[in-house]
Structure formats: C-alpha cells, structure tokens
Amino acid sequence: MKKRTPMVAGNWKMNKTLSEACELLESLKPELAEVSTVDLVVCTPFIDLPLAKDLLAESNIKVGAQNLHWENSGAFTGEISAPMLKELCDYVIIGHSERRAMFGETDETVNKKVVAALVVGLKPIVCVGETLGENEAGQTEAVVDRMVREGLKGLSQEDAKNLVIAYEPVWAIGTGKTATPDQANDVHKNVVRPILREMFGEEIGEGMRILYGGSVKPGNAAELFNQSDIDGGLIGGASLKTADFVGIVQGAL
Ligand code: PEP
C-alpha cells in the first residue's frame, strides 16, 4: 500500500482540436469510471478546457491547464491568467521542460507562476528535470536541487500541501527512453524528497506527491509506480490514446 494517493496526469501538449478532444474524453470517461484509488487529471490545451470541464463535471477525472501567466490581467497579448483558469480547471502544469527550452521559462518565472496559481486555489504540477548533457556531466542532482528550491521559493507549508512535483528527465520526454525505475526513484527519494522535507517539514515533505514523467507506457508504468517515491506519472504521448492512458492508470492501481 502506497503512503501517498497516486496520481496519473495526462499532458496533451499542443494536440486535440475540440472535436478530437470530445472524442478522447468521451472514450476515457467510461473506461476510468471505476477508478477511485488514483487521482486522475487531464491537462488539455486552453481552448479545450471549457469542453473538458463540462464533459468531466460528474466524473472522477479532474481538468488541468498546461501553463499560465503570473499577472492576473492586463496588456499581455496571448497569455492566460490564473483567475481565468480557476473558473475552468483545478490543476496547472508549470515549468514543463518544453516551456523552459522553447519559451524562455526560468526558475524565476516558474516561481512567479506557482505563486499566482496557488493564490487563486489552482494546484500546480511543477516540472523539474535535467537535460541529457547535464545528466551525462553528472549534474542531475545539482540541476534538480536548484529547480526545486528556486521554483518553490517562499512557499508556505499550506501552499506545499497543494503542490505536485513531476520529475521529468528531459532526455526521456517523448524519446522512448525511460529512466529505469531505480534511476527515477533515486532522484525522487534522494534528491527531491529530502529538499521537500527540508523546505516544508518532515510530514508535509513526506506527504507530497512526486510524479515521474518521460516515455511512460502501459508496459513500464506498474514497475515505475511501484517504487517507494514514485507517486504516479505525468504522461505525454501516451495520454493521447485511450487504451494507453487507461493501461497506465491500471499500472497505478
Ligand atoms: C510530458 O510531456 O510531460 C511527457 C512526459 O511526455 P512523454 O510521456 O511523451 O515522454
């Protein structure tokens, strides 16, 4: 029996038109209806959020966004704020490696976004993880340590209770290369967890969920999720197909 309720969250990235989203959500709902021991989330593109909110209203699947701006409103063309999202969803992914690599996100902007989300009652899923080069240079621990400390800077214990961390080694995202269960658990247990305990106290740090992300598939999910400090997964590519996402959720049961 796991100490923490596992979570499986889908990150649809920039995929699914409204009609495609409708089809996927309608097929996921009955397949996952009996799941009560795993928290389920789908993080859709902004435009699919109202649909997801409506379709999943009576279901056991929560809705999340994939990004937000840290200001509440104003002259920020093309951006979406925390109060806007709060009417549509419960979770928001922050600091995904694709946003860090392609859209200039830094530890500082991640921290601002985390604070903005928490203020309105959104639950951030904060992503951290090293690149292939950093991994090969033996910098995994230093990079993850910095991202966790800087990303969660200034947060209270109460804030921490509403946070989920996702460790996503960049070299494993969308590449088909998965960290081995031991490799991933080592980072969760010996790098991220001790920092969370140090920052927020033993009890809260021990209770926080740390998801793994990076080429999770139905075939490797159970072994990953069985590790002591892997509390579920953030799923990219495999969250776009009902059978794959359901298979991964089964790995968490
Ligand atoms: C992700 O997008 O967060 C992710 C982990 O992608 P994938 O599962 O496709 O590697």
Side-chain angles (χ1 to χ4, degrees), residues 55-218:
L55 287 183
L56 300 177
E58 306 296 324
S59 82
N60 54 342
I61 308 172
K62 300 278 187 222
V63 180
Q66 300 171 14
N67 183 31
L68 80 171
H69 194 273
W70 58 85
E71 294 290 346
N72 282 343
S73 63
F76 302 99
T77 302
E79 295 292 323
I80 303 282
S81 73
M84 292 169 173
L85 290 181
K86 181 57 188 156
E87 293 187 10
L88 294 168
C89 61
D90 295 307
Y91 290 87
V92 57
I93 296 172
I94 298 178
H96 191 278
S97 64
E98 288 153 16
R99 298 215 54 87
R100 293 181 191 255
M102 291 186 268
F103 302 102
E105 298 214 1
T106 63
D107 294 330
E108 194 188 351
T109 60
V110 168
N111 184 246
K112 286 187 189 180
K113 291 180 180 203
V114 170
V115 170
L118 287 166
V119 164
V120 301
L122 284 167
K123 296 180 170 68
I125 300 173
V126 183
C127 301
V128 300
E130 81 287 0
T131 62
L132 181 62
E134 290 163 342
N135 183 282
E136 287 174 350
Q139 294 167 350
T140 299
E141 182 169 346
V143 170
V144 172
D145 184 296
R146 190 204 74 226
M147 286 181 170
V148 174
R149 286 183 199 279
E150 295 295 314
L152 308 187
K153 197 155 72 180
L155 302 186
S156 68
Q157 288 186 323
E158 280 311 302
D159 290 334
K161 290 182 191 166
N162 290 315
L163 282 178
V164 177
I165 308 297
Y167 169 59
E168 301 206 304
V170 180
W171 49 269
I173 298 179
T175 58
K177 282 189 206 162
T178 318
T180 65
D182 280 349
Q183 253 177 328
N185 198 50
D186 182 46
V187 176
H188 288 220
K189 187 173 178 199
N190 300 319
V191 182
V192 182
R193 182 82 59 207
I195 304 170
L196 298 178
R197 284 206 220 97
E198 187 193 315
M199 290 181 82
F200 304 112
E202 280 293 314
E203 198 186 333
I204 290 170
E206 199 51 41
M208 288 173 72
R209 285 183 288 203
I210 309 173
L211 312 183
Y212 168 77
S215 299
V216 179
K217 302 277 180 288

Side-chain angles (χ1 to χ4, degrees), residues 20-35:
E20 290 166 346
C22 186
E23 199 178 315
L24 177 55
L25 293 170
E26 289 290 21
S27 80
L28 280 175
K29 250 195 321 187
E31 294 281 345
L32 295 172
E34 303 302 318
V35 175

